Amino acid sequence: MAISLRPTQIRRYTDLARLLVKYSRSDVSGYVRAGMSGRASHPPAASDLSSDAEELCVDLEQRGPTFVKLGQLLSTRADLLPAPYLAALATLQDRCEPVPYLDVVAVIEAEFEAAIGEVFADFDPEPLASASLGQVHRARLADGRSVAVKVQRPDIAGRIARDLDAIAEIAALADRHTETGKAFGFAAMVEEFRRSMLGELDYRREAANLELLARNLAGFERIVVPQPVRERSTERVLTMDLVAGRRLSESPRIDADGAALAGALISAYLKQIVGDGFFHADPHPGNVWITDDGRLALLDLGMVARLSPKARDLLLRLLVAISDDDGASAATAAIGLGEPRDDRPFDEATFVTRVSALVSEQQGAALDTISPGAVVSEISRIAGETGLRPIPELTMLGKALLNLDEVARTLDPSFRPADAIRNDAAGVLRRRMMPTPARVLTAALEAKEFAEHLPRRVNQVMDALAEGQMTLNVQGINEAEFLHGLHRIANRVTTGLVLAALIIGAAMMMNMDTPTRLFGYPALGIVCFLLAGGGGFALLASILWGDRRRS
């Protein structure tokens, strides 16, 4: 990717260069290099790292929404940054000055090509909330329905696109010319970040996420997901149900049953993560509201994560192992949720030892202080230090569980997330194993295909056998030992045939009238019987001795 010489881009390059130079001299730079090489190092004091991390958050907030979002993405990279940085970056919030009302009106009228009075019967000029990408206003539709309207900031898409171009160009340079870039692949990280940002800029995608999450959580009476108004939603305007309530972070007290709400929230998230493979990835207290009727509302579905069926199974095993203090099983499941790094070998023995020790530490902890989210985040960090790159969804899960821990304890200070996960895991697993119409249909189609192809395949096997073209491809055996065993079998079969022939021949000679007799019988027949008997005993002894020696 070529460096642009446009003045606006040059200013962005300069700003980025200052940021990189500043933190390349900090303690975190040495931490990253040590983690990259796998060399043991003496980590700087946690207080020093925390101070630098807080300063980085301030620098990112000053540079605008793209860098705030980038910081939030980096907060999920436990394989790249130390714990104090992850904790500080996870607190980054989209706090911005409100957009002037006339600018909001201009965006709405441009999107719907109509005056704002034709789109909404009433529109409150004062915003309910303001963030880096947009802000939310209260409004009323023509049918009298109260709604919340999220309106994107003017020209935010263009600004973010320019910032992303500059970041991508710097990342490509780092990948080509620095060891750290070659090890971690910054260009790929930026491309993942670009997809995430563009997804958040398209409010139609968030509307689809709201609809899908509401369908998935339809069975949870204590959980509500506001639904979009499709005819009043576009790429830059999202109209949805107005939640009558308040942010959980702004609630000094909980009037409803906090323990029941916390349990419902954990159950709903376990279903999202393990059952559906689609979960709300940013459930911090500002995105969880308590409604006036005592339910919990999940808001802001711009950041979601999707999981493959294999990842869901491994995550369930990981969460259950953590809750049951089974460190070995937790390590095994975590290994399946990562891949070895290209720049250094994966130290599996160290990883298993450290994860087992981490999980076992919970046994001595107070039950109400055990945090599965903290354990998952720490496992991600250990993976990075031992040469295993965890899948992005694992670090996102750790961050989501940490937020859930905070929300659950806000609702009920004595709540135990580990107990809730352990109790709900059996039900989630049972639901996953139960047949659904889709699974039954898939199995029926596979059975139909098997039945259709079975006769042809059987004919092919029989034809190959008849023509002597049947081959057996066996891998993973000792060929010399295999041939030696075949020779022993052939020798025993041949010896048995010879002995059988001697016995049959001797029996036939018993009726012959010969002058030489032994014990009153033809001598040659008796000799054949004796040879057959001796050979039989020798063969039997060889078989028993050989089998005993191999066992």
Side-chain angles (χ1 to χ4, degrees):
M1 180 179 292
I3 294 292
S4 172
L5 297 180
R6 290 175 297 172
T8 55
Q9 291 298 85
I10 291 176
R11 285 196 296 271
R12 285 181 172 83
Y13 298 145
T14 303
D15 207 26
L16 275 171
R18 288 174 181 164
L19 197 64
L20 292 173
V21 168
K22 178 179 179 179
Y23 289 96
S24 66
R25 298 171 180 170
S26 67
D27 290 326
V28 73
S29 177
Y31 179 96
V32 172
R33 286 194 295 270
M36 177 187 68
S37 62
R39 296 188 300 269
S41 62
H42 299 288
S47 58
D48 295 337
L49 284 176
S50 298
S51 176
D52 287 346
E54 293 171 1
E55 190 173 351
L56 174 60
C57 290
V58 173
D59 287 338
L60 293 176
E61 288 177 342
Q62 290 176 348
R63 283 164 175 80
T66 309
F67 293 87
V68 170
K69 295 292 183 181
L70 180 59
Q72 292 174 344
L73 173 66
L74 289 173
S75 72
T76 68
R77 293 302 301 264
D79 60 324
L80 182 60
L81 295 175
Y85 274 79
L86 300 177
L89 292 172
T91 63
L92 281 172
Q93 300 293 327
D94 296 335
R95 293 181 292 265
C96 291
E97 290 296 322
V99 177
Y101 174 66
L102 292 181
D103 291 343
V104 171
V105 171
V107 171
I108 294 175
E109 292 181 343
E111 287 294 294
F112 292 100
E113 298 181 348
I116 189 171
E118 299 176 14
V119 181
F120 300 103
D122 184 48
F123 193 91
D124 189 351
E126 292 297 322
L128 295 173
S130 181
S132 60
L133 299 185
Q135 64 187 36
V136 181
H137 290 256
R138 184 193 303 268
R140 185 168 51 84
L141 300 177
D143 60 4
R145 177 180 174 187
S146 295
V147 292
V149 184
K150 183 191 289 189
V151 183
Q152 197 170 108
R153 287 177 175 266
D155 195 37
I156 192 66
R159 178 180 176 181
I160 288 177
R162 292 188 291 271
D163 287 342
L164 288 173
D165 287 342
I167 294 172
E169 289 160 7
I170 297 296
L173 281 176
D175 286 355
R176 289 197 299 268
H177 300 294
T178 68
E179 292 299 322
T180 308
K182 293 175 183 177
F184 290 103
F186 292 136
M189 291 173 55
V190 172
E191 186 57 33
E192 175 191 343
F193 176 53
R194 183 191 296 272
R195 288 195 297 269
S196 174
M197 284 293 295
L198 294 180
E200 287 197 55
L201 288 173
D202 189 349
Y203 288 168
R204 295 170 299 186
R205 183 174 298 182
E206 183 174 350
N209 292 339
L210 288 168
E211 292 173 339
L212 177 57
L213 187 63
R215 289 196 299 270
N216 291 343
L217 301 184
F220 292 85
E221 296 181 355
R222 294 178 180 268
I223 306 295
V224 58
V225 180
Q227 288 301 279
V229 181
R230 280 291 189 171
E231 61 272 15
R232 288 294 181 267
S233 298
T234 67
E235 183 177 354
R236 297 198 295 163
V237 176
L238 173 61
T239 303
M240 56 192 145
D241 297 337
L242 181 67
V243 175
R246 61 195 185 279
R247 288 185 180 88
L248 198 60
S249 57
E250 300 173 351
S251 300
R253 61 187 179 86
I254 306 299
D255 298 327
D257 187 349
L261 288 176
L265 183 65
I266 297 296
S267 298
Y269 263 84
L270 198 59
K271 180 181 184 299
Q272 291 177 58
I273 294 165
V274 181
D276 305 321
F278 171 84
F279 66 94
H280 181 204
D282 195 22
H284 63 76
N287 282 342
V288 180
W289 283 43
I290 184 163
T291 65
D292 292 343
D293 59 358
R295 296 185 295 168
L296 292 178
L298 302 181
L299 308 179
D300 193 1
L301 262 70
M303 185 182 295
V304 297
R306 288 176 168 82
L307 300 166
S308 66
K310 178 183 177 182
R312 280 181 260 168
D313 291 338
L314 289 169
L315 283 172
L316 178 60
R317 289 172 54 188
L318 177 63
L319 293 175
V320 172
I322 292 172
S323 300
D324 285 341
D325 300 322
D326 187 351
S329 297
T332 301
I335 290 173
L337 292 166
E339 57 183 15
R341 282 165 44 176
D342 297 332
D343 58 303
R344 54 173 292 197
F346 171 46
D347 188 352
E348 182 174 346
T350 300
F351 177 79
V352 172
T353 300
R354 293 181 61 182
V355 170
S356 298
L358 171 68
V359 175
S360 66
E361 288 174 1
Q362 296 186 107
Q363 296 179 0
L367 287 176
D368 58 353
T369 64
I370 294 175
S371 170
V375 176
V376 170
S377 296
E378 183 66 10
I379 288 175
S380 297
R381 187 183 66 81
I382 294 172
E385 293 179 355
T386 53
L388 184 72
R389 179 177 289 120
I391 61 173
E393 291 81 7
L394 180 62
T395 46
M396 291 182 72
L397 173 66
K399 179 181 176 181
L401 289 175
L402 280 172
N403 285 326
L404 282 179
D405 291 346
E406 182 181 357
V407 170
R409 290 195 169 105
T410 300
L411 293 167
D412 179 17
S414 63
F415 187 75
R416 300 170 180 175
D419 287 350
I421 290 175
R422 185 166 48 247
N423 294 336
D424 286 343
V428 172
L429 181 60
R430 184 169 56 252
R431 288 192 295 270
R432 287 208 63 191
M433 295 178 65
M434 289 180 61
T436 62
R439 292 176 185 168
V440 172
L441 179 59
T442 300
L445 291 173
E446 291 177 351
K448 174 178 176 292
E449 181 182 2
F450 175 77
E452 289 176 347
H453 293 291
L454 181 61
R456 178 175 58 83
R457 292 170 178 168
V458 171
N459 287 336
Q460 289 174 344
V461 172
M462 299 305 295
D463 290 343
L465 284 172
E467 297 173 3
Q469 298 177 352
M470 188 71 175
T471 59
L472 181 64
N473 183 16
V474 180
Q475 300 178 354
I477 62 173
N478 188 324
E479 296 181 3
E481 183 66 23
F482 181 68
L483 292 176
H484 180 66
L486 287 179
H487 290 157
R488 291 175 64 87
I489 293 172
N491 292 338
R492 290 179 178 181
V493 172
T494 302
T495 302
L497 290 174
V498 171
L499 293 177
L502 286 173
I503 294 171
I504 293 172
M508 295 177 65
M509 286 187 287
M510 286 299 174
N511 297 323
M512 296 175 60
D513 187 10
T514 60
T516 305
R517 304 182 75 84
L518 188 65
F519 306 120
Y521 294 99
L524 184 60
I526 293 297
V527 170
C528 289
F529 269 127
L530 292 175
L531 290 175
F537 280 115
L539 178 61
L540 181 61
S542 174
I543 292 172
L544 293 175
W545 174 254
D547 290 349
R548 177 180 296 179
R549 185 174 59 184
R550 283 190 294 274
S551 63

